[in-house]
Amino acid sequence: HLLRVLGARPGRTGEAIEVIIETLRRNPGSTEAHVLHIACAWPQLAPVAEALRARVTKEKSGEISPMGLLPLPESSASEQYLCARQYAEQQYGEFLPLPPLCGTGLRMTPDRLRIGYLSADYHEHPVSYLVAEVIERHDRSRFDVFAYSYGPDSEGPMRKRMRAAFDTFREIRPLSHEAAARQILDDRIDILVDLTGYTTDTRLEILALRPAPVQVSWLGYAGTLGHPRLADYMIGDPVASPLAHAAHYGETLALMPNCFQPNDRQRAVGPAPQRAAAGLPAHGFVFCCFNQSYKITAPIFDLWCRLLAKVPGSVLWLAQPIAAAEHNLRREARARGIAAERLIFAPRTPTLAEHFARLQCADLALDTYPYASHTTASDALWAGVPLVTLRGETFASRVAASILHAAQLPELVADSEQNFYQLALELATHPDRLAQIKARLAANRLSCALFDTECFTRDLERLFRRMWTDYRAGTRQPIVLGPTC
């Protein structure tokens, strides 16, 4: 209800935010805090963020979704792990002591490993955009691939593609958690991969019932699930989740040799429209960021506005947020000496191909912090637009750094706010250097590890085989794959 008010009635923004603040005074929680993030209501958010972190450190955060901490600049990796652990123990406590559905006896190695992918997002969603081609490319002589879908049963093109990609596509939305877990058990899934984590419509109760001997968290959630009962492994990579950070995960780390994020090479990029057709000025430098508004924080917006002030005629091109967020962002820009009209908001396009086409009108993508670009980072690079990111200590803040390393552009990764500012400013004011990076990105686009879907799929299958080998041996150690392609 609050989001509807904030989205459709900007004149009632103050009223809705007061309701949120009053709710948080009574019981600080991440749901209301997330609404403040979405609305970019930063002054009201600051005391809420402090209260959320205090509840975590006092081990009273069992009702706070771990997702609520990811965008907080002050939140550390250790706090995010503690929050996830406390949340898992409280939300799934009735399931955690139960004997695992799959039993404790070791299974024989089948001729083909049965891999189950559990998700709410088999429709027009970033997870499906990323993973579709990987599912299609799985080696069917060695793997049987199952989908367990509990999200909306839409009739869009991505839903149809995902249905066709899997060997077996199970609709489990109507089933109880117990019945869904029983279906996975009856299908004798060897490795169950959760693609949703703590994001919208999560059903981690299914994982808590342990219907498969090996369970894995991957791709959908930018952090740990917090409890080893939910997942044995989390798939990451040496940049996003280095072994030195293992203490911040409830799972054992399983590291891909390059980036943990897959990509779909079949996504079309049409011809770029004229800038005017995209709502942009014909001249001047175009910074862009198409992340959702909840990822935009006051400190990173400060840096963006400093860049706008330093680069005459430049604009900042953002994804269209709810009305309250647009109102607040324009107000925050004016407070920093930037004319509100230099923020340009792009409406959602009917198709992904149209979005890729218009992305080419941007000169440079600026990342958010600490919740960095994930799919949007790969989208920008696929469209030929370089990205500058700031790497932090949390998984969520390191994903874009991993993506840039896999795209052979590690020099676009900054390790401090000042370094981020200087790097973006140099690219915006030195056309020759920006042109060289764009040329290198174009030349490497189809050969770099980030977009080599065939190699990624083979590496993922090697990772699954290692997990199964360790399971059969009764051991579980971190897995670090070396490159093969």
Side-chain angles (χ1 to χ4, degrees):
H1 168 70
L2 291 170
L3 280 175
R4 285 197 297 272
V5 172
L6 291 169
R9 299 283 297 278
R12 295 180 64 193
T13 295
E15 171 194 338
I17 287 177
E18 281 305 312
V19 173
I20 295 170
I21 294 299
E22 182 57 35
T23 303
L24 290 168
R25 285 194 189 104
R26 294 194 303 269
N27 182 30
S30 59
T31 300
E32 292 80 12
H34 189 59
V35 175
L36 294 177
H37 273 295
I38 291 171
C40 298
W42 301 325
Q44 296 88 348
L45 182 61
V48 172
E50 184 177 345
L52 290 178
R53 293 178 63 223
R55 288 184 69 188
V56 172
T57 55
K58 294 174 183 176
E59 298 199 356
K60 297 181 179 179
S61 66
E63 295 179 352
I64 297 175
S65 170
M67 183 78 178
L69 264 64
L70 300 189
L72 299 182
E74 307 84 0
S75 176
S76 67
S78 59
E79 287 175 348
Q80 292 179 12
Y81 167 60
L82 282 174
C83 183
R85 188 189 72 194
Q86 294 165 24
Y87 187 80
E89 289 172 350
Q90 177 159 324
Q91 299 300 315
Y92 313 117
E94 65 181 289
F95 302 104
L96 300 180
L98 298 177
L101 270 184
C102 64
T104 55
L106 291 179
R107 289 187 187 175
M108 298 296 293
T109 300
D111 293 335
R112 294 195 298 271
L113 282 180
R114 292 187 161 215
I115 311 297
Y117 290 94
L118 178 67
S119 180
D121 302 320
Y122 294 132
H123 53 95
E124 303 300 321
H125 186 278
V127 166
S128 286
Y129 296 151
L130 293 174
V131 82
E133 191 175 355
V134 170
I135 303 302
E136 292 165 344
R137 288 180 175 270
H138 266 311
D139 182 355
R140 264 45 183 199
S141 70
R142 304 175 69 214
F143 298 90
D144 286 326
V145 189
F146 290 68
Y148 295 94
S149 173
Y150 57 86
D153 186 9
S154 66
E155 292 301 321
M158 183 52 69
R159 178 70 166 193
K160 294 176 182 177
R161 182 178 174 189
M162 296 306 291
R163 277 187 169 276
F166 288 95
D167 300 314
T168 303
F169 195 99
R170 302 269 193 223
E171 294 278 8
I172 62 170
R173 186 183 179 95
L175 302 182
S176 68
H177 303 315
E178 292 80 1
R182 179 66 62 179
Q183 177 66 71
I184 294 167
L185 179 71
D186 291 346
D187 286 335
R188 294 190 63 79
I189 294 301
D190 300 307
I191 300 177
L192 181 62
V193 183
D194 178 73
L195 299 175
T196 304
Y198 288 118
T199 61
T200 304
D201 295 328
T202 180
R203 289 184 64 179
L204 290 178
E205 293 89 346
I206 296 172
L207 292 185
L209 288 163
R210 294 294 307 195
V214 179
Q215 297 189 171
V216 181
S217 177
W218 178 45
L219 192 61
Y221 179 67
T224 179
L225 301 184
H227 200 289
R229 169 82 176 206
L230 301 178
D232 304 299
Y233 296 96
M234 177 177 171
I235 296 178
D237 62 59
V239 176
S241 55
L243 289 185
H245 293 186
H248 303 317
Y249 296 88
E251 308 86 352
T252 299
L253 291 176
L255 305 187
M256 294 284 283
N258 297 296
C259 184
F260 78 97
Q261 185 196 84
N263 272 281
D264 178 10
R265 289 162 59 114
Q266 300 181 34
R267 296 173 297 176
V269 180
Q274 294 294 314
R275 277 188 168 188
L280 297 168
H283 305 287
F285 197 88
V286 177
F287 296 105
C288 79
C289 179
F290 279 84
N291 289 351
Q292 295 185 61
S293 60
Y294 73 85
K295 293 186 177 184
I296 303 175
T297 58
I300 202 69
F301 194 72
D302 287 340
L303 293 179
W304 293 354
C305 287
R306 285 175 60 194
L307 289 166
L308 290 172
K310 197 70 173 178
V311 182
S314 61
V315 297
L316 178 58
W317 195 22
L318 302 170
Q320 182 76 60
I322 62 172
E326 180 177 338
H327 170 80
N328 286 336
L329 287 171
R330 291 193 189 280
R331 186 195 68 238
E332 293 287 350
R334 287 192 295 268
R336 290 161 174 78
I338 302 298
E341 58 268 22
R342 293 179 69 183
L343 302 188
I344 299 174
F345 295 96
R348 191 180 184 90
T349 57
T351 67
L352 196 58
E354 292 173 78
H355 175 58
F356 282 127
R358 73 175 179 185
L359 255 179
Q360 297 170 94
C361 295
D363 294 302
L364 181 66
L366 300 175
D367 205 1
T368 47
Y369 184 85
Y371 202 146
S373 303
H374 294 188
T375 308
T376 48
S378 292
D379 287 351
L381 298 176
W382 185 244
V385 181
L387 166 78
V388 176
T389 191
L390 172 58
R391 176 176 53 202
E393 68 159 345
T394 65
F395 186 95
S397 68
R398 300 175 70 90
V399 171
S402 170
I403 288 169
L404 286 166
H405 275 267
Q408 300 176 13
L409 293 170
E411 68 269 32
L412 299 185
V413 179
D415 288 318
S416 69
E417 290 185 357
Q418 184 60 23
N419 184 216
F420 177 97
Y421 170 78
Q422 292 291 350
L423 180 54
L425 180 61
E426 184 175 352
L427 293 174
T429 55
H430 292 79
D432 289 348
R433 185 178 178 201
L434 182 60
Q436 290 172 358
I437 289 177
K438 285 189 172 184
R440 204 163 93 236
L441 175 58
N444 295 337
R445 182 168 171 264
L446 295 179
S447 60
C448 68
L450 181 64
F451 297 119
D452 190 340
T453 316
E454 175 65 25
C455 182
F456 182 97
T457 308
R458 300 290 83 79
D459 286 337
L460 182 64
E461 291 173 346
R462 282 198 298 137
L463 202 65
F464 289 155
R465 284 285 174 186
R466 277 287 307 277
M467 291 175 184
W468 189 256
T469 298
D470 286 355
Y471 159 74
R472 290 285 304 144
T475 63
R476 192 193 311 151
Q477 299 294 327
I479 301 173
V480 182
L481 288 188
T484 57
C485 303

